[in-house]
Amino acid sequence: MPLMPPLLARAARVARAARPRTAWPRPLRLRPARLRVRWPARPPAKRVCDLIGAVPLAVLSAVPLLLAAAALYASTRAAVLVREPALGLAGRPFRTWRLRTEGGGRTGAWVRRCALDGLPQLLNVLRGEMSLVGPRPEPRTDHPERLLVRPGMTGLWQVGARSDLPWEEMALLDRHYVESHWLGTDLAILAKTPRAAWEQRRA
């Protein structure tokens, strides 16, 4: 009987191999979730400058603007705040605000000479549709380079000879601004705007 123990051992190994194995679930390894936080992009310096300038200007010009609107309404007995179509950055359409001076007689002429009719455009600046400095807002344009920047309340030709320049030279100055503007240019134009408006009022 010397072969029995080896045979029994072999049979036991075969039986163990044929026995179905129970698949125990593996323990779950929980990994901490990786949160990807996307911080908002920093606004450009030009936009920051617009907000810093537009907020105090809107506060300071509130009383003169209300007085001008009341005077125009007394002269025309019609709506004095109008919205006009314009093209903004990348050709996006929007509407600019201004005071209606047509039909206002001497009052309307005085409001235009004091450059008060464009002050409601500060709302467009606060909304991000316009800038303090840039090309003049227009409903359409034959110069696509103007759409590379936001239109502005003042610009190069406004602080130069204002509306005394021919239209072609205004377009050239706007193109020059688009191609070579930087924050220092904007600050210089803003610094010259009050004097240009004063000289226009005295003209």
Side-chain angles (χ1 to χ4, degrees):
M1 300 291 293
L3 297 177
M4 289 301 296
L7 290 175
L8 291 176
R10 182 177 180 183
R13 288 197 300 270
V14 172
R16 286 196 299 268
R19 186 183 305 168
R21 297 179 180 179
T22 303
W24 295 98
R26 295 181 179 180
L28 296 178
R29 296 180 179 180
L30 299 179
R31 296 180 178 179
R34 296 180 179 180
L35 299 178
R36 295 182 179 180
V37 180
R38 293 184 177 180
W39 298 101
R42 264 190 324 181
K46 183 177 176 66
R47 179 59 182 157
V48 174
C49 182
D50 286 339
L51 292 176
I52 293 176
V55 171
L57 283 176
V59 174
L60 294 175
S61 63
V63 174
L65 190 59
L66 290 176
L67 292 177
L72 287 173
Y73 181 78
S75 301
T76 61
R77 296 295 178 180
V80 296
L81 192 62
V82 296
R83 301 184 69 186
E84 298 176 334
L87 294 179
L89 181 65
R92 297 186 185 94
F94 70 101
R95 291 186 177 272
T96 61
W97 297 85
R98 73 171 181 88
L99 292 179
R100 187 199 302 270
T101 57
E102 298 83 3
R106 293 182 178 180
T107 302
W110 178 81
V111 171
R112 285 193 303 270
R113 291 178 62 183
C114 294
L116 296 176
D117 55 329
L119 286 180
Q121 291 179 351
L122 287 170
L123 296 175
N124 297 113
V125 176
L126 294 174
R127 287 165 57 94
E129 299 164 336
M130 290 182 60
S131 177
L132 291 176
V133 181
R136 184 177 181 177
E138 297 178 353
R140 62 185 64 86
T141 181
D142 296 329
H143 304 278
E145 69 275 1
R146 290 168 53 91
L147 305 180
L148 297 176
V149 296
R150 291 184 178 89
M153 296 181 62
T154 184
L156 281 177
W157 62 267
Q158 288 94 331
V159 300
R162 294 181 65 88
S163 58
D164 298 336
L165 290 175
W167 176 252
E168 293 79 8
E169 294 188 22
M170 294 181 187
L172 288 176
L173 287 176
D174 284 341
R175 180 175 181 177
H176 175 72
Y177 172 81
V178 172
E179 293 177 349
S180 60
H181 80 283
W182 63 294
L183 188 58
T185 305
D186 288 0
L187 295 177
I189 293 175
L190 289 174
K192 295 179 180 179
T193 297
R195 181 178 179 180
W198 174 256
E199 291 178 352
Q200 177 68 15
R201 190 182 74 86
R202 296 177 57 187

